[in-house]
Amino acid sequence: MAKKILLTGFKGGTGVTTCAVGLGTALAQLGERTLIVDGDAKTGCALLIGECRHLIVYTLADYEKGACRAKQAIVSHPKNSNLMFMPSIGLNDISYAQKAVSDVDGLFDYILLDKTAEPLCDSAIIVSEPFTPSVKAADLCRSYLTDSGIKNVSLIVNKLNGGQILNGETMTAHEIAALLHMELTAVIPEDLLLSSGKWKPATLKAFKTAAEALTGRREGVLNILSGWSGVNAYFKRKLRDKV
C-alpha cells in the first residue's frame, strides 16, 4: 500500500503543484515508485510542469464516464520510469479521483495528491511562502486539516530567499515552522527560472534533500543561507533588489 500525501494550501500562488512535481521527481529518482495525482481539472498544471501533458490518452474524466480503467489514466514520465501522473482534466465528481487512487494504490510506494482526494491521505504537507499573508493562510489550513482528521501535517516553505532573511524582510523557515507549530519538511529556495520551465541546481538539491528526509535516508533541510555571506553575496542581494 502506498503512502498517500496531500499537498495543499489555502493561498493561491504558493507553488503547491510545483512542489508536488519537484518532490515526486526526487522520490522517483531515489527509486520510489511515485504517482502524482493532478487536481487541476482545467489545465493539468502538474503535467505541464512535468512536461508530460502531450502524452495524455485518458484522464479521470474518462474514468468517471466508464471509458477506461484507473490504470489507463496513468501517464508515465518519458525520462523516469518510476514517476507517473494521473490527470483529472474535465473531472466533475471528485469522488472518482478517490476511487481511482484506491484502484491503483498497490502499484506505488508514494502517491502525492495535489489538492485532491483528501480523505484518502495518511498525512499532509502545507506549502507556504515566507510572507505574512501566506503564513496566516497556512495556519488556517493546518487547523482545517487537523479538524478533518489528518493529524500528521507538516510544512514546506517555498520561494525563500537568503538575502531577504539577512535583510530582515522575512523570517527563516525554522522560525515560520515554529510559529505554526509544524514540522519542517523542506525549504525550497526562490527560483526565478521556473517561469521559463527550468530548475536551478539549488532547487533540485532542495527537493532531493526533502525526499531523502521523507524516506528516512537523512535528516534536515537545505541550508538556504549558504552562499549568502561575504562581499559577493552583498552585491547579489543588491542586484536582486534592482531586479
Side-chain angles (χ1 to χ4, degrees):
M1 182 178 292
K3 183 174 182 180
K4 294 175 283 295
I5 304 172
L6 174 71
L7 279 91
T8 188
F10 275 1
K11 182 183 178 296
T14 60
V16 173
T17 302
T18 299
C19 287
V21 176
L23 183 57
T25 300
L27 285 168
Q29 289 172 345
L30 291 176
E32 306 288 346
R33 295 275 292 173
T34 305
L35 174 68
I36 300 172
V37 183
D38 190 348
D40 185 355
K42 300 297 184 183
T43 60
C45 192
L47 283 95
L48 284 171
I49 296 172
E51 300 180 337
C52 290
R53 199 181 188 283
H54 63 290
L55 299 175
I56 294 175
V57 177
Y58 294 107
T59 76
L60 289 178
D62 298 302
Y63 176 74
E64 180 183 20
K65 297 171 186 175
C68 72
R69 294 173 294 161
K71 188 176 179 179
Q72 291 176 286
I74 292 175
V75 177
S76 297
H77 194 281
K79 296 180 181 179
N80 192 332
S81 60
N82 287 324
L83 180 62
M84 302 184 190
F85 294 81
M86 182 176 278
S88 62
I89 298 172
L91 181 66
N92 294 313
D93 187 347
I94 195 66
S95 68
Y96 279 91
Q98 299 176 30
K99 294 177 182 178
V101 170
S102 297
D103 285 351
V104 301
D105 192 344
L107 301 177
F108 299 95
D109 301 307
Y110 286 86
I111 299 179
L112 306 182
L113 299 117
D114 178 13
K115 291 187 176 181
T116 190
E118 177 187 311
L120 295 179
C121 295
D122 310 312
S123 58
I125 300 174
I126 297 172
V127 179
S128 174
E129 295 171 314
F131 309 111
T132 301
S134 187
V135 173
K136 289 183 176 180
D139 188 36
L140 292 172
C141 187
R142 177 189 60 81
S143 298
Y144 165 77
L145 291 172
T146 53
D147 289 345
S148 299
I150 300 179
K151 302 303 180 184
N152 185 9
V153 182
S154 59
L155 178 70
I156 287 178
V157 179
N158 191 27
K159 306 179 185 179
L160 193 58
N161 180 277
Q164 288 183 309
I165 293 174
L166 294 176
N167 290 340
E169 298 170 16
T170 64
M171 293 183 288
T172 68
H174 291 282
E175 289 171 337
I176 294 171
L179 182 65
L180 294 173
H181 304 289
M182 283 194 282
E183 182 182 345
L184 189 60
T185 294
V187 179
I188 310 301
E190 180 185 56
D191 190 344
L192 301 180
L193 287 181
L194 285 177
S195 59
S196 63
K198 300 178 182 178
W199 304 71
K200 285 185 177 179
T203 305
L204 297 175
K205 182 180 179 180
F207 282 120
K208 181 182 178 182
T209 301
E212 288 174 341
L214 196 64
T215 57
R217 289 172 168 85
R218 64 176 294 170
E219 295 182 356
V221 296
L222 183 73
N223 179 11
I224 207 72
L225 294 177
S226 177
W228 284 97
S229 60
V231 176
N232 290 338
Y234 171 80
F235 287 109
K236 185 165 66 172
R237 296 203 302 271
K238 291 298 182 182
L239 179 61
R240 185 195 177 281
D241 290 341
K242 296 294 183 182
V243 174

